[in-house]
């Protein structure tokens, strides 16, 4: 009977620790609401602390709400996050979407050895490795050629089926999307 009580107490303690660990880690989760449902992204401050902090600040301020998926390439990725020109309810400029950032400064690269796989979330940037700001992309498939070249900030842990339904862009126009889907809302937490 004593062994059973110890086993139960141990299981209860483990459940409590696991629950509190998840509660702490939920600060490093964002939920993106899409037309087809939510997408939960687990952020990786352990490999990209500055980028994760900027994403969380922009999400908490509502900057990502209504921002277009301006570049979506079948079998590759869906890009969004241009808060300057991509807000489909406030100042959307289709011809400039993908060229803007936010009022926050560009960030120095935080490259890691985490590979770009299906569901990986990475920061978009110009040719300058230290130019990431607010834009990010979600991988539809592995992209080994991006490894060590772009900053990984997280991974989709729920709702990848909703990412798969994002409207595709024009292959002949580098994935530019006419009448694009958008992030309805983005919040920190689940």
């Amino acid at each position: 009977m004593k062994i059973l009580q110890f086993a139960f107490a141990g299981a209860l303690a483990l459940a409590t620790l696991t629950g509190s660990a998840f509660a702490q880690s939920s600060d490093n989760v964002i939920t993106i609401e899409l037309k087809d449902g939510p997408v939960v992204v687990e952020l990786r401050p352990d490999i990209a602390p500055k980028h994760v902090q900027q994403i969380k600040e922009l999400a908490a301020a509502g900057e990502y709400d209504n921002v277009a998926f301006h570049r979506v390439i079948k079998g590759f990725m869906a890009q969004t996050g241009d808060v300057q020109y991509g807000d489909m309810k406030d100042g959307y400029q289709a011809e400039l979407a993908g060229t803007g950032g936010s009022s926050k400064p560009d960030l120095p690269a935080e490259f890691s050895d985490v590979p770009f796989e299906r569901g990986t979330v990475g920061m978009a940037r110009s040719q300058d490795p230290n130019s990431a700001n607010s834009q990010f992309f979600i991988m539809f498939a592995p992209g080994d050629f991006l490894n060590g070249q772009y900053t990984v900030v997280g991974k989709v842990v729920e709702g990848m089926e909703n990412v798969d339904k994002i409207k595709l862009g024009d292959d002949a126009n580098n994935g530019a999307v006419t009448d694009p889907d958008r992030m309805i809302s983005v919040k920190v937490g689940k």
Side-chain angles (χ1 to χ4, degrees):
M1 187 66 172
K2 280 276 192 214
I3 293 173
L4 188 58
Q5 288 174 334
F6 283 127
F8 180 73
L12 185 60
L14 181 61
T16 303
L17 288 173
T18 304
S20 65
F22 178 77
Q24 290 171 353
S25 68
S26 70
D27 288 344
N28 290 315
V29 169
I30 58 170
T31 301
I32 304 168
E33 191 65 40
L34 302 180
K35 70 181 182 344
D36 292 302
V39 175
V40 178
V41 176
E42 182 178 46
L43 299 172
R44 296 287 308 271
D46 58 318
I47 58 171
K50 293 176 182 158
H51 288 78
V52 166
Q53 184 61 36
Q54 189 137 309
I55 287 171
K56 287 168 47 176
E57 288 173 6
L58 290 167
E63 295 289 326
Y64 284 130
D65 296 355
N66 298 302
V67 173
F69 281 94
H70 63 272
R71 183 171 173 243
V72 184
I73 301 174
K74 182 179 182 175
F76 179 31
M77 59 88 219
Q79 185 173 335
T80 186
D82 183 344
V83 301
Q84 185 175 4
Y85 301 118
D87 186 334
M88 296 184 72
K89 285 201 171 183
D90 184 20
Y92 179 65
Q93 296 180 46
E95 67 284 354
L96 293 176
T99 64
S102 72
S103 61
K104 297 187 174 296
D106 289 348
L107 297 166
E110 293 178 301
F111 298 153
S112 69
D113 59 0
V114 175
F116 279 87
E117 303 170 334
R118 175 171 164 76
T120 297
V121 180
M123 292 299 287
R125 61 170 177 81
S126 69
Q127 294 297 325
D128 177 358
N130 301 313
S131 62
N133 186 290
S134 62
Q135 293 187 47
F136 60 89
F137 55 92
I138 304 171
M139 300 295 292
F140 290 127
D144 295 344
F145 60 96
L146 300 174
N147 293 348
Q149 305 295 314
Y150 287 79
T151 299
V152 172
V153 294
K155 182 159 185 142
V156 174
V157 293
E158 290 178 34
M160 194 62 198
E161 68 278 7
N162 298 325
V163 174
D164 289 335
K165 296 174 186 172
I166 294 171
K167 183 179 178 182
L168 296 173
D170 180 0
D171 288 342
N173 195 15
N174 198 25
V177 186
T178 303
D179 189 25
D181 284 346
R182 62 190 168 101
M183 296 186 288
I184 295 167
S185 66
V186 181
K187 68 177 184 176
V188 177
K190 195 168 172 185

